[in-house]
C-alpha cells in the first residue's frame, strides 16, 4: 500500500524512514500553523494536533500526520486545527516551553508518532477489507 500521509514535524528525531517528512524549522506552534495551512489547502487531518496530555503542550516538539493528497476542504479538520491552535495558545500563555527536558519530549513525540502511523495503517487496511 502506497503511503498516504505526510509527517509535519519540528522534531529532529523524526527520520525519513517513517515516511515523507515536512520539517518545520520552528516551534510547536509553528508546526500547528503549517498543519492549518495544509488543511486549508485540502489535506486531511489524520492525527490530532494536540496530544492527550496537557503536559505535552510544553514540549518544544510536535509531529502531526496529514493526508498526502489534496481533497475537498472539510470543516471538521478546519475546526479541529483552529481549536488546537487556540488551546495551545491559551495553555501556554503564562508558561514557557520546557527546553530542559527537550530530549525526553522529542523521544515521547517520536513514539506517539510511530503509534499514530501504526493505527492509521490498521484503519486503512480495515477500510480496504470492508470494500472487498
Amino acid at each position: 500500500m502506497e503511503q498516504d500521509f505526510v509527517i509535519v514535524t519540528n522534531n529532529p528525531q523524526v527520520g525519513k524512514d517513517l515516511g515523507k517528512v515536512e520539517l518545520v524549522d520552528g516551534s510547536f506552534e509553528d508546526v500547528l500553523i503549517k498543519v492549518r495551512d495544509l488543511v486549508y489547502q485540502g489535506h486531511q487531518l489524520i492525527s490530532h494536533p494536540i496530544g492527550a496530555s496537557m503536559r505535552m503542550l510544553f514540549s518544544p516538539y510536535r509531529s502531526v500526520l496529514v493526508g498526502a493528497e489534496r481533497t475537498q476542504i472539510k470543516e471538521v479538520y478546519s475546526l479541529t486545527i483552529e481549536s488546537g491552535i487556540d488551546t495551545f495558545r491559551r495553555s501556554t500563555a503564562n508558561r514557557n516551553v520546557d527546553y530542559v527536558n527537550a530530549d525526553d519530549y522529542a523521544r515521547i513525540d517520536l513514539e506517539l508518532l510511530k503509534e499514530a502511523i501504526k493505527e492509521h495503517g490498521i484503519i486503512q487496511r480495515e477500510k480496504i477489507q470492508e470494500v472487498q
Side-chain angles (χ1 to χ4, degrees):
M1 179 172 20
E2 186 177 322
Q3 180 178 311
D4 63 345
F5 62 85
V6 175
I7 302 164
V8 181
T9 187
N10 67 338
N11 186 343
Q13 291 188 15
V14 174
K16 300 221 183 272
D17 59 314
L18 293 177
K20 183 177 179 191
V21 176
E22 175 81 31
L23 188 61
V24 175
D25 184 20
S27 66
F28 187 131
E29 185 175 7
D30 293 327
V31 170
L32 296 180
I33 290 167
K34 178 64 178 178
V35 169
R36 180 197 61 199
D37 293 348
L38 291 170
V39 165
Y40 282 123
Q41 292 172 14
H43 293 268
Q44 177 186 12
L45 187 59
I46 296 173
S47 66
H48 201 283
I50 301 295
S53 167
M54 289 300 290
R55 182 75 184 128
M56 289 302 291
L57 289 174
F58 304 106
S59 166
Y61 304 113
R62 185 65 182 144
S63 300
V64 181
L65 295 180
V66 298
E69 299 295 323
R70 289 182 185 187
T71 60
Q72 182 178 353
I73 297 172
K74 295 193 178 173
E75 184 178 18
V76 67
Y77 301 142
S78 301
L79 293 173
T80 300
I81 188 59
E82 291 292 353
S83 174
I85 292 170
D86 183 57
T87 297
F88 176 82
R89 287 177 176 162
R90 282 186 290 110
S91 298
T92 59
N94 298 316
R95 189 161 177 190
N96 295 325
V97 172
D98 182 2
Y99 290 106
V100 172
N101 298 301
D103 289 339
D104 293 334
Y105 280 120
R107 181 68 184 161
I108 292 167
D109 178 70
L110 177 61
E111 291 304 315
L112 291 171
L113 174 63
K114 287 178 180 178
E115 284 303 310
I117 292 169
K118 183 175 150 185
E119 288 176 22
H120 176 65
I122 291 169
I123 291 168
Q124 292 306 96
R125 283 190 297 277
E126 287 174 356
K127 285 181 181 178
I128 290 170
Q129 288 174 353
E130 286 177 7
V131 172
Q132 295 175 346

